[in-house]
Amino acid sequence: MARGVQENAVFEAADALLGAGERPTVERVRLHLGRGSPNTIGPLLDAWWTQLSQRLEHRLALPGVPEEVGVALAQVWELALAAGRAQADAALAPERAFLADALAEIESRVTAERERVTTIEAQRQQAAAAAQVAEAALAVCEQRAGELAAQVGTLQRQLEELGGRRDALEAQLEAAQSRLEQERSAAAAERETLQTHLRQVEDRAYTEIDRLRQEAKAHKTQLATQAREHAAALREADQARRSAERAQHVAERESAAAQARAQALAQPRPAKPRPAVKKGPASATRRVAKK
């Protein structure tokens, strides 16, 4: 039974639903109360239906009583019953509370045990699955161990072969080191010879560099002199060019003036009237002479 849901609360909720014109049901009573378990409300509602039938029979058993009086008597009876129930509930409240607490604790323990059993079952299943995985892994490991054992044997044989090759390589290394030492001595002697030759070449190179530096200095002086001469020649050429330009301008002006005079002379002038000449022997003589 859910804690806090009492018989009188279920009866009052059923009476309220019946007074509102609704048929009291477990779900309606539970909605009206706002709490309670159907397993708890169901038996209490059955008891309410039983008492409702008894109340109706008691109300109908009053002979010759007016309707209003019957209703009042029924209400008084119901109040008496309610007071009795309240007194009984008050007397039984500690036991009911204790039983409710005990039942709730038992239900809590049962729920916890169920959860623990469920957890243990899940752990058992996980352990079984893990055992299967472990068995499969063990089989794989055993197979792998056999393969590794074979590989170890092969590696041991290869190691023995490598030991023999190592001995041979060590002998070759000693011989190579001996040759390297001889070649190192020869290289040291050759390096000394090359260093002597290099010093001689450097001496000649320094001498040649000094000579080239002197020649470059002389050549630089010569280039400076030639640059000054070239600059003077450029200035003279510039002056000559300017003189030529001035002479050309003068010649152009004189040529233009000459052309203007020639054009002026080429134009025909109007003839001046000549004085009349008397014809005589002299004129006749000039005409003859002209002919």
Side-chain angles (χ1 to χ4, degrees):
M1 184 176 62
R3 182 182 298 179
V5 178
Q6 304 296 333
E7 180 180 352
N8 56 346
V10 174
F11 285 4
E12 291 176 359
D15 291 339
L17 291 172
L18 185 63
E22 298 181 1
R23 184 176 184 276
T25 61
V26 174
E27 186 62 26
R28 288 176 179 175
V29 171
R30 185 170 179 273
L31 292 175
H32 183 81
L33 294 174
R35 65 184 188 279
S37 172
N39 296 329
T40 303
I41 296 174
L44 296 177
L45 187 61
D46 293 338
W48 177 84
W49 282 110
T50 302
Q51 292 185 9
L52 177 64
S53 176
Q54 294 175 359
R55 284 187 293 172
L56 291 176
E57 289 177 359
H58 177 72
R59 181 177 178 181
L60 295 174
L62 296 175
V65 177
E67 182 68 20
E68 292 79 0
V69 175
V71 171
L73 291 175
Q75 290 178 353
V76 170
W77 178 249
E78 288 178 359
L79 290 174
L81 291 177
R85 284 197 300 268
Q87 186 176 1
D89 291 339
L92 296 176
E95 288 78 4
R96 287 179 177 178
F98 176 76
L99 292 175
D101 293 339
L103 182 60
E105 184 177 358
I106 292 172
E107 290 180 354
S108 177
R109 289 181 180 180
V110 170
T111 302
E113 288 296 326
R114 288 176 180 174
E115 292 178 354
R116 190 171 68 84
V117 170
T118 303
T119 303
I120 292 173
E121 181 64 21
Q123 292 176 354
R124 186 189 65 78
Q125 293 178 358
Q126 292 178 357
Q132 294 178 357
V133 173
E135 290 177 357
L138 180 60
V140 173
C141 290
E142 290 177 351
Q143 182 180 359
R144 183 59 178 168
E147 295 175 355
L148 290 175
Q151 292 179 3
V152 167
T154 304
L155 291 174
Q156 287 179 350
R157 290 191 299 272
Q158 293 178 357
L159 182 61
E160 293 175 356
E161 295 176 356
L162 290 174
R165 293 176 59 187
R166 182 195 61 190
D167 296 337
L169 289 174
E170 286 179 353
Q172 294 177 3
L173 178 61
E174 291 178 357
Q177 288 178 349
S178 178
R179 290 194 303 270
L180 179 62
E181 187 64 28
Q182 294 175 1
E183 292 175 356
R184 185 177 298 166
S185 299
E190 185 178 359
R191 183 171 62 250
E192 184 65 26
T193 303
L194 289 175
Q195 288 178 353
T196 303
H197 179 68
L198 180 61
R199 284 194 294 270
Q200 293 175 357
V201 171
E202 288 178 350
D203 293 338
R204 289 196 297 270
Y206 288 146
T207 304
E208 184 67 19
I209 289 171
D210 291 336
R211 186 183 63 79
L212 292 174
R213 187 180 293 115
Q214 295 297 328
E215 291 181 358
K217 185 176 181 182
H219 185 63
K220 184 177 180 182
T221 303
Q222 185 180 0
L223 288 176
T225 303
Q226 290 178 356
R228 289 193 296 271
E229 293 176 354
H230 181 67
L234 288 176
R235 287 194 296 272
E236 292 178 357
D238 187 56
Q239 292 175 0
R241 181 181 58 78
R242 292 178 181 177
S243 299
E245 289 178 353
R246 287 195 295 270
Q248 185 178 358
H249 291 328
V250 172
E252 289 177 354
R253 286 197 299 271
E254 292 179 354
S255 176
Q259 289 179 1
R261 288 196 298 270
Q263 289 178 0
L265 292 174
Q267 291 180 357
R269 294 182 179 180
K272 294 181 180 180
R274 295 180 179 180
V277 180
K278 294 181 178 181
K279 294 181 180 181
S283 61
T285 303
R286 285 196 295 272
R287 286 196 299 272
V288 173
K290 186 181 287 188
K291 289 180 180 180

